[in-house]
Every structure is written in structure tokens, then in C-alpha cells.
Amino acid sequence: MPVDWVVVGLDNGGTTNNGTILDSSGRFLLDQMAEVPSDVREGPDKAIASLVVSVEQVLGITGVPITAVRAVGLDTPGPASGDGVISSKGATNFGHAGWRGFDIRGALAERLGLPVIYNNDGNSAALYAHHVRFDAEYGERSSVAAIVGTGLGGGIIEGGRVIKGAAGMAGELGHVPIPLDGLLAPGQPTPACNCGQSGDAESVASLTGIQNNLLPYWLTRYEGHELGGLPIGKAARLVRKYGEEGDEMALAIFRQQAMALGRLFTIAANFLDPDAYFLGGGVVEAAPHFRDWFFAEVRANTVLREEQARAAEISLVPDLDMAGARGSAYAARNWFIAQGQPSWPGGVLSPGRRDDHDHGEPGRLIALVVVPVRAAGRKAGALAGADHMALARHRERQGA
Ligand SMILES: [Zn+2]
């Protein structure tokens, strides 16, 4: 089948980049991971070169010429701004000093000569889950995704769009404080999070939460447990296996995690009332009997009103290893389509231009104009139209 235009999706991780290609009809041209080393530890220069290699790799595999690429979607682990500027305080995956305050999105756009649309990895995975579930209706639906890993990532999608917030920090579900009454065992210390808060969702529902908070406490309740003889980091990674085998202490730990996730979804229900709640992470890949038990525990702890329970669903994030790259590709495709000019030659778009989140003063003024239009209806076309108008006016202003 001839290809008229495509977008590339890139998922940048601590060790590898995964890439994919999505065509104009919404079909992925790769059904497997396409990985190259990400070289992020060697600093921005090497890492940007690796992202370019990743683009070349997926084009090579599929035989698509670079002239067909209209935009590139990119995700990285956080913390970074909504436009892809890595935190000036550094970040776990970006320890090299060159990363501090580095604009990874802008640098890749400049190197490729193509628009690059940025999201953090949690938001990309959330966008992917949203598209898989809602397909052609994606622009009219909303969802919340919680993905349990080392931390607790995720994102919020409203009307098919990632909610980024004013500073790029919306959808940080892990750092939402949750009620702890009835969750903690009598005498159990309040769990602490790396972000400085205590009792947020990540302090319980993450591998870090197991290592720092849950396991140290539960080992005092199960003296002589095999895991007590191991270094805590190693023991924390084994808790899931013990859970799968029905170990009492491991199940107590996962019950607390499920309760935390259910309470988080309950907060989401009252804040956002989404069409879907997605749950992802290592536990989704666990043995089916254990995964089903955990999922049922999360559901049992998610308090929905009767009307909400009828309207919404709780489900699992599919294909987690490809979710970042694929979500990034959807972000790029949605951005390009929102321009209203699917046949627009790539060269007309300035390579360094930012995505539709602009934090400068003109952007703020335009945002005020757009808000009433957004509030007027949930139709996908209405949103795209409003944003396109705002972008066009923005360009006019900048050109003036
Ligand atoms: Zn936190």
C-alpha cells in the first residue's frame, strides 16, 4: 500500500529508545519493538544522535522515505516541562550535567528539521491506552491512567488531548495525597515519597514505595520471612513473585497498593468523572490469577456513584512495552491533523516551533479566548477548530 504521509513515535528511556511509525490512516507499520541504545548517560549530544538513529532505524525497517514524515512524537521520563525542557534540578534518567534545563524537544526538532511533539512517558502511555480503547471516538472521550513502576506515572486525557497544565505538571497522579485511614495497619508509619510529601499515591503504589515504606514495615510483622534476609532493594523486586505464589505478607503489601490505587481513582472520579480508568505496570504482566485478584481489589476500592459506574469502566493498559512509542506517535499524528492541513508540506512548518502549549504572554491571552469555545461542547471537531484558530492567530501575531 503506498504511503502518503506518516509520523514517527519515539520512546526515550534510561537505556534504550523504542521507535514506531504510524501512517495517515492510523495504522502502525511496525508490530514489534524497534530499539537502539539511548546513550542518555553520555549527555545530550550522544542522546540526540541516538534518537536520530532511532528514526533512521524505523524508516529503514519499513522502507518509508523521510520526506513522508510530517512530525515526530517524543517521550522521556520526567521531570520535564510540557515542552520537553529537562528539569534544571536534574532527573533520575538525566544525571549528566549537560541535561539540566536542556530542551530535548527543540534539539531533536532542529536536528531532524521536523516538528517534534513532546510528552512525558506517563502521558504518552496514557494517550496510547486511550486510543486503543476508544479508537475513532478518541476525540470525544476522557480517561485517566495510573501506571505502577519504580514510581507511579500516568496521565489524564480529555477530549483526546493530554492535559499538561500550566507548568507541564498536570496528571502527576503519583503525587496526589490519598486518605490513609483504614489503609495503614495499626502502628504502621506514614509512608514517605521521594517528592517530599508523605501519604501520596506513589508512596504506597510503586516499587519505591514497597522498598522504602511497605516492605520494611511488613517485615517487622512477619519476623523470619525469607525476604528479611536479603538487601531491601532486591527483596522489594521479589515481592510480586511471592504475591503470585500466595505469600501472606506479599498479599498484604499488594492489598495496600490496590487500596491506594482505588482511592486515587475515587479522587479522579470526583475531579474528572472520566469515561475510563486505566491501570498499567508490572502487575499487569504478572501471572493471570494474581493480576485478576489485584485488579478486583483496585475495583473494590474505587468508589463510583451509580451513574458513574454505569458510564465508566476500569481496564488494563495494553502492550505496555510499546505504549510509550505508540502514544508518542498518536500525539504527533493528532497534532498534525489538528493543523487542518494533512497535505501541508513538512518544510512549511518551522522545525523549531513549539507544540500547541505556549506559555508566553500571547499564548495566555489566546488561551482566554479559547476557553469558552472548549467549554461549549465535547465534539472533536469543535476542539480542533478552536485550537487551529488560536494557532493561526498566534502565527499572525508573531509574524507582525
Ligand atoms: Zn510524591
Side-chain angles (χ1 to χ4, degrees):
M1 190 190 277
V3 169
D4 49 358
W5 60 266
V6 300
V7 295
V8 172
L10 299 175
D11 171 42
N12 168 264
T15 54
T16 55
N17 297 323
N18 181 25
T20 195
I21 293 192
L22 181 60
D23 75 7
S24 58
S25 70
R27 186 179 52 128
F28 284 101
L29 303 185
L30 284 170
D31 56 10
Q32 286 178 354
M33 308 266 282
E35 291 186 322
V36 299
S38 67
D39 296 330
V40 288
R41 286 185 184 81
E42 293 175 56
D45 284 355
K46 283 266 176 67
I48 295 293
S50 297
L51 287 167
V52 174
V53 169
S54 203
V55 173
E56 289 167 350
Q57 184 196 44
V58 293
L59 293 175
I61 294 171
T62 54
V64 173
I66 189 148
T67 50
V69 181
R70 292 293 176 268
V72 174
L74 169 70
D75 76 33
T76 73
S81 77
D83 285 333
V85 177
I86 305 300
S87 168
S88 59
K89 289 182 179 167
T92 312
N93 276 276
F94 300 100
H96 189 284
W99 283 117
R100 295 180 175 219
F102 185 81
D103 177 6
I104 190 169
R105 188 207 64 81
L108 182 62
E110 197 171 312
R111 187 73 66 92
L112 291 171
L114 284 165
V116 174
I117 312 304
Y118 177 83
N119 283 290
N120 72 43
D121 53 2
N123 284 347
S124 269
L127 187 61
Y128 176 60
H130 185 88
H131 270 268
V132 170
R133 173 60 190 86
F134 295 118
D135 198 24
E137 290 184 347
Y138 79 90
E140 293 151 48
R141 301 301 192 111
S142 58
S143 63
V144 168
I147 296 159
V148 185
T150 309
L152 176 59
I156 300 167
I157 312 295
E158 176 61 45
R161 297 166 62 97
V162 172
I163 302 296
K164 292 191 175 184
M169 292 171 184
E172 289 288 345
L173 305 187
H175 306 297
V176 173
I178 52 165
L180 294 173
D181 55 300
L183 188 155
L184 297 180
Q188 184 174 1
T190 303
C193 181
N194 287 338
C195 74
Q197 296 187 94
S198 53
D200 63 16
E202 180 171 305
S203 72
V204 178
S206 66
L207 180 63
T208 309
I210 293 182
Q211 179 175 329
N212 294 350
N213 303 313
L214 306 189
L215 186 57
Y217 166 75
W218 283 102
L219 283 172
T220 68
R221 295 280 300 269
Y222 287 85
E223 277 184 35
H225 194 284
E226 284 171 43
L227 288 178
L230 298 174
I232 193 76
K234 190 174 179 191
R237 274 188 286 277
L238 289 171
V239 173
R240 190 174 93 201
K241 184 170 93 54
Y242 277 75
E244 288 172 337
E245 291 164 1
D247 178 78
E248 209 179 292
M249 182 187 76
L251 292 179
I253 288 174
F254 277 102
R255 199 171 286 120
Q256 290 192 319
Q257 291 209 325
M259 202 178 276
L261 289 163
R263 291 179 177 201
L264 180 65
F265 283 162
T266 304
I267 292 170
N270 288 291
F271 249 95
L272 301 160
D273 190 21
D275 291 294
Y277 305 79
F278 296 118
L279 181 62
V283 77
V284 175
E285 290 141 43
H289 73 277
F290 177 69
R291 180 196 63 204
D292 294 347
W293 168 80
F294 185 76
F295 194 57
E297 287 283 312
V298 174
R299 275 174 190 267
N301 284 285
T302 304
V303 181
L304 301 180
R305 291 166 209 278
E306 210 183 308
E307 296 88 338
Q308 291 179 312
R310 275 200 300 272
E313 63 181 55
I314 306 178
S315 53
L316 301 172
V317 175
D319 308 326
L320 200 69
D321 51 356
M322 292 198 288
R326 289 190 159 189
S328 296
Y330 277 124
R333 185 169 185 272
N334 296 350
W335 174 84
F336 183 63
I337 290 172
Q339 307 307 298
Q341 305 270 3
S343 59
W344 200 339
V348 174
L349 298 159
S350 129
R353 76 175 299 280
R354 302 160 74 152
D355 69 10
D356 50 5
H357 273 256
D358 192 312
H359 307 305
E361 277 310 306
R364 282 182 191 281
L365 291 174
I366 288 167
L368 290 175
V369 178
V370 174
V371 165
V373 183
R374 286 187 186 192
R378 283 163 55 100
K379 273 274 181 239
L383 287 184
D387 291 340
H388 179 50
M389 230 168 61
L391 280 168
R393 288 178 51 180
H394 192 186
R395 269 196 294 275
E396 262 171 40
R397 280 170 197 242
Q398 285 189 322

